[in-house]
Amino acid sequence: MTCCVEFQPLGVRLECSLGNNLFQAATGSGIRLMTVCGGRGLCGRCRVRVLAGEIPPPNESDRRRLSPEELAAGYRLSCRLHLTGDLKVEMPPEMLAATTQLQVAGAEVEIFPDPPVRQVALELAKPSRADLRSDWERVRAALRDACGEDSLPDAVALRALSPLARSGDWRLRVARREREVVHFAPVDEAPLGVAVDLGTTKLAAFVLDLVNGRLLASGGELNPQIAYGEDVMSRVTWAMTKGAAVLQTAVVEGLNRLVAGLVPKPAAIEEVVLVANTAMHHLFAGLPVEQLALAPYLPAVS
């Protein structure tokens, strides 16, 4: 059984399952609400006003977190408002988790790039009736001549090899991390790296040229996980009680969105370095976080 919920001032209508609370319905559909407690009815930040439909009687959390005037005006905590029918609700602007302007610029210093991904320009032997080697074997032989050792292919990177070799007249650039080939690119395309600061509250990304180390672009936005709790322990609690997958999805989608706005061709990114505190790192990587909340608070990996 479902019902229709209209969110104002967004003008968004969602079909939601009866029995779910409004907070779950909103966050599950990409509407990020500002909370501190992660939807446990403790902070009072996710309040909404019911404009149409049956206004449920206030529960204990509503009475603790909302004033009598707010309750009389139809305000309820979205994380404690269980859906029993169609609703039209108003979300105060301060309750919406929106993007923000962050200070990501600073003094740029001269560096000598030494990335773990190394670039090798190749000119491959063209196929013929007398030379029926696969495209990868041509690359492998050319890399052995250039680097003096054998190489292994990344399965995802291989998808670009055949069309790229033919469109570039068998001239291309190969990116290697140790012995693994991680990327194929046109010889004239600059290799890009991205540095990410994954903070509890904010995300910041910096795009760099891996050849000369020059900063090409930077940007930031709120960490989308803030909809599930403003502090680290609220998010760890959410992961322990409701599952960590939604937190991982939220931050990955946020980073993808942020980087896509900075890099016209994301496929040119050959290296990413991400820094975060232990809990944010574990949630991003899909590692278990239960042990972080219990003494002696050991991470899965340091």
Side-chain angles (χ1 to χ4, degrees):
M1 297 289 290
T2 62
C3 62
C4 179
V5 180
E6 180 179 342
F7 294 88
Q8 293 296 339
L10 300 179
V12 174
R13 292 189 179 203
L14 299 177
E15 186 173 329
C16 306
S17 298
L18 291 175
N20 276 358
N21 67 53
L22 192 63
F23 178 81
Q24 292 172 331
T27 55
S29 300
I31 299 174
R32 304 199 303 273
L33 296 172
M34 294 286 285
T35 68
V36 175
C37 68
R40 291 181 291 151
L42 301 178
C43 69
R45 294 277 294 275
C46 66
R47 66 191 66 190
V48 297
R49 185 162 68 100
V50 179
L51 301 177
E54 182 180 352
I55 302 178
N59 55 45
E60 184 178 352
S61 294
D62 292 326
R63 287 190 289 268
R64 285 183 177 180
R65 305 300 171 186
L66 302 174
S67 68
E69 293 76 18
E70 288 175 317
L71 294 174
Y75 281 92
R76 297 291 186 270
L77 299 183
S78 66
C79 66
R80 289 297 177 265
L81 197 165
H82 291 272
L83 299 173
T84 59
D86 295 347
L87 280 182
K88 180 178 180 180
V89 297
E90 178 185 58
M91 305 165 68
E94 65 271 17
M95 302 306 160
L96 291 171
T99 56
T100 186
Q101 293 294 111
L102 306 180
Q103 180 178 343
V104 293
E108 190 170 350
V109 297
E110 184 179 0
I111 64 169
F112 299 95
D114 186 24
V117 174
R118 305 293 182 177
Q119 310 299 321
V120 184
L122 298 178
E123 185 166 352
L124 305 178
K126 297 180 180 180
S128 67
R129 291 185 179 181
D131 184 357
L132 300 177
R133 290 177 297 169
S134 68
D135 295 342
W136 165 247
E137 286 303 324
R138 296 174 196 282
V139 171
R140 183 180 180 185
L143 283 173
R144 190 183 300 116
D145 293 340
C147 303
E149 62 180 357
D150 208 357
S151 299
L152 302 171
D154 174 83
V156 175
L158 275 178
R159 298 171 187 170
L161 171 57
S162 295
L164 181 62
R166 286 158 178 80
S167 64
D169 195 27
W170 300 95
R171 296 175 64 250
L172 49 81
R173 180 173 55 78
V174 175
R176 295 172 81 236
R177 183 184 292 111
E178 296 182 345
R179 293 177 56 208
E180 183 183 21
V181 172
V182 296
H183 190 68
F184 298 98
V187 289
D188 58 350
E189 180 181 273
L192 302 181
V194 175
V196 175
D197 180 1
L198 197 172
T200 306
T201 304
K202 301 165 185 174
L203 309 177
F206 305 84
V207 182
L208 300 101
D209 186 317
L210 290 182
V211 174
N212 56 32
R214 187 164 59 93
L215 179 65
L216 303 177
S218 61
E221 68 170 53
L222 284 178
N223 186 334
Q225 291 176 337
I226 203 169
Y228 306 97
E230 195 171 42
D231 59 89
V232 167
M233 286 311 301
S234 292
R235 293 183 210 171
V236 170
T237 301
W238 175 286
M240 292 172 62
T241 57
K242 301 180 181 179
V246 65
L247 295 171
Q248 183 187 37
T249 298
V251 73
V252 168
E253 289 179 348
L255 283 175
N256 283 340
R257 184 170 55 251
L258 176 58
V259 172
L262 300 175
V263 183
K265 186 180 178 183
I269 298 171
E270 298 183 358
E271 179 74 9
V272 176
V273 174
L274 183 144
V275 294
N277 66 46
T278 303
M280 293 298 98
H281 163 264
H282 277 44
L283 290 171
F284 174 80
L287 297 173
V289 295
E290 290 81 358
Q291 76 283 356
L292 298 179
L294 304 171
Y297 316 108
L298 297 179
V301 61
S302 298

